[in-house]
Amino acid sequence: MISTPKSVPELLRAEIPDVPPGKYPIRLLACGIPQGVESVVHQLHVVRFAEVSAWSPPLPSPVIGEVIRILTRYYTP
């Protein structure tokens, strides 16, 4: 069983499985109060930028009262 990272540094250091050949992972962060982050994630889904399920679960932020969600996309040079 693979453990889920519990913090942003752990997630950023974790290996990204199944990276397509010739592509490089790019991580996008949404940071802020939980309600605001959820709102932005859902707005980005509405405009077909990313599925809600493609984002990480809310992770604790170093800023008290805030969370971070991470979306991984891929860059092809």
Side-chain angles (χ1 to χ4, degrees):
M1 181 175 164
I2 298 172
S3 65
T4 303
K6 302 288 187 227
S7 70
V8 174
E10 286 177 331
L11 184 59
L12 294 177
R13 283 191 297 267
E15 183 177 329
I16 298 173
D18 304 321
V19 174
K23 296 191 177 191
Y24 298 88
I26 305 297
R27 295 180 184 101
L28 305 169
L29 305 177
C31 313
I33 62 169
Q35 303 90 330
V37 170
E38 290 305 307
S39 176
V40 167
V41 167
H42 285 276
Q43 288 172 18
L44 290 172
H45 171 71
V46 168
V47 298
R48 305 181 94 171
F49 181 77
E51 294 288 329
V52 173
S53 62
W55 291 84
S56 73
L59 299 165
S61 168
V63 179
I64 295 173
E66 293 189 359
V67 298
I68 298 172
R69 290 190 71 176
I70 302 173
L71 172 68
T72 303
R73 289 289 182 98
Y74 297 92
Y75 167 74
T76 304

